[in-house]
Amino acid sequence: AVPTACVWLGAQMGGEPCIAVVNDGYKIRSLLADDMAVKKTTLGPTYGGALTKMLMLPNELGDATTLLPTRHMAYATHEKVIGIAKLPFDGNPNKAMGLIAHPGELTGLAVSWDGKWLLTAGGDDLAVHLWQVEPSAMEVTIRAAGGNGIAPFEAQLDGGKEGDAYQEMVDYFYYAQLRAQGEDSTEPRRITGRVPLTELGNLMRAVGYYPSERELEEIMQEVRMSRAAIEQQDDTIGFEDFLRLYINHRPVLGISKEQIEEALKTLGGAKLGRDELMRMLQVQGEALTPDDLAQCLRALVGVADIEQICPSQVDSKSFAEGVLGFEDYA
């Protein structure tokens, strides 16, 4: 993912100062300002493209239920869309809104000293627009769509809470509880509603998200940091924690033709020898052992021998169709 914008968040909720960095995968990563450690990754607004400009609105008075200030951020995409997002970032899509501000490129975004007005500059339209800002109007939408609970995250699954995807997540989560206690154990099982953090990688892969080992470590570190912030030493997660992590970390966009081509070029060229590709997969980056590689191939194509599915010279098309199973790759 390529970073596209950043903004200074300061100390959120009395914590350490942070910087928010958004990338072209629609993810907002909150980084600790002192060492750039990833504190949290959340799903950002997905209206009209990746965010390219972000500005914090001045502090606002808290609502009737809290003494803490309510913070909002203004944003713009490369083309057409501007919007407002409520902090703290947590992946709840109802805490952000967007609208079409210009017919084409957006070249500028500014906020007035009191936070009540936004100015946007277009490109070919040669227009500057002035927008009145009323962040409090978002609260009605947030409450109507499930508030700050788990409902907004359930709704982002195919079919929502009543769909097959949700039920599969529940089934895998219960199985992970049994697996953590030993699949062959004859002792009575305890269903606590929580699984060890070490099961998180298996759970993510079971529901279709395949994080790298580095990404998985960042996810677990995120959980540990959130627990440390409230002085809780618990190395387990509940189902709602798992669902939020999955929604926030899974890719918004699928693997594109361009990404496959770029990956092959990084390894050595537009075409690679089949044997050379197998060697690189076992020694480069997060290297795979021969057994791991054979297991991956069996899961993808049903055989453990790449010679049966790929020609001697592998390009992006043969890899996409033969290994990844893309049927419409052109």
Side-chain angles (χ1 to χ4, degrees):
V2 178
T4 56
C6 67
V7 68
W8 173 257
L9 296 179
Q12 298 292 303
M13 307 292 286
E16 299 180 63
C18 292
I19 300 169
V21 178
V22 65
N23 60 41
D24 59 359
Y26 298 94
K27 304 298 184 183
I28 298 177
R29 292 159 66 88
S30 298
L31 311 178
L32 295 179
D34 57 353
D35 59 5
M36 292 292 114
V38 180
K39 182 178 181 181
K40 193 169 189 177
T41 299
T42 56
L43 178 65
T46 56
Y47 311 106
L51 311 191
T52 55
K53 298 174 180 63
M54 299 191 294
L55 292 173
M56 294 298 298
L57 300 185
N59 281 327
E60 304 150 54
L61 295 176
D63 59 32
T65 62
T66 179
L67 298 177
L68 294 172
T70 301
R71 300 298 308 277
H72 291 83
M73 177 195 77
Y75 70 84
T77 63
H78 178 65
E79 292 184 330
K80 299 182 180 182
V81 177
I82 65 169
I84 301 291
K86 182 180 179 181
L87 275 64
F89 301 123
D90 61 5
N92 183 344
N94 303 316
K95 291 173 65 175
M97 59 75 61
L99 56 82
I100 295 177
H102 291 265
E105 183 182 7
L106 274 159
T107 58
L109 177 70
V111 60
S112 64
W113 66 272
D114 57 2
K116 295 182 178 179
W117 302 92
L118 280 181
L119 288 93
T120 60
D124 292 338
D125 60 341
L126 304 178
V128 175
H129 294 167
L130 182 64
W131 306 86
Q132 187 175 6
V133 179
E134 289 288 351
S136 59
M138 296 173 59
E139 297 302 323
V140 176
T141 302
I142 294 173
R143 287 193 295 269
N148 294 316
I150 196 65
F153 297 89
E154 295 170 342
Q156 294 182 72
L157 296 172
D158 290 340
K161 189 174 182 180
E162 305 303 322
D164 292 339
Y166 180 87
Q167 190 55 55
E168 284 185 0
M169 293 187 74
V170 172
D171 291 343
Y172 285 128
F173 190 82
Y174 274 104
Y175 173 68
Q177 294 179 68
L178 300 178
R179 186 176 183 276
Q181 298 174 55
E183 294 174 282
D184 300 324
S185 174
T186 58
E187 298 294 325
R189 306 303 180 92
R190 295 176 61 247
I191 302 301
T192 62
R194 305 189 70 80
V195 300
L197 203 53
T198 52
E199 287 291 319
L200 189 55
N202 292 326
L203 280 170
M204 290 290 188
R205 296 180 187 109
V207 295
Y209 167 44
Y210 298 89
S212 66
E213 291 301 317
R214 178 179 177 181
E215 290 169 333
L216 185 58
E217 182 54 40
E218 287 184 349
I219 296 173
M220 293 193 289
Q221 182 64 19
E222 175 182 320
V223 175
R224 296 187 186 105
M225 291 178 70
S226 66
R227 301 285 166 76
I230 57 176
E231 299 182 354
Q232 180 181 346
Q233 301 299 323
D234 182 9
D235 221 23
T236 65
I237 59 169
F239 180 75
E240 291 188 1
D241 300 324
F242 167 48
L243 177 56
R244 284 189 171 93
L245 288 169
Y246 172 69
I247 293 297
N248 281 322
H249 285 270
R250 67 175 179 176
V252 173
L253 305 173
I255 299 173
S256 67
K257 173 184 176 181
E258 291 74 21
Q259 287 175 309
I260 298 173
E261 292 175 349
E262 186 63 30
L264 284 176
K265 289 178 182 177
T266 300
L267 290 174
K271 278 192 175 184
L272 283 175
R274 183 177 57 213
D275 294 339
E276 178 65 8
L277 175 61
M278 293 291 285
R279 187 191 69 80
M280 287 187 171
L281 290 174
Q282 296 177 64
V283 298
Q284 299 286 343
E286 295 183 358
L288 294 168
T289 66
D291 288 343
D292 288 338
L293 187 54
Q295 184 178 356
C296 289
L297 287 172
R298 278 194 294 268
L300 285 167
V301 296
V303 298
D305 187 359
I306 198 171
E307 292 184 5
Q308 300 181 37
I309 54 174
C310 280
S312 58
Q313 292 293 314
V314 181
D315 59 12
S316 58
K317 185 176 188 298
S318 60
F319 186 82
E321 293 178 344
V323 178
L324 299 181
F326 290 2
E327 296 179 355
D328 57 350
Y329 193 94

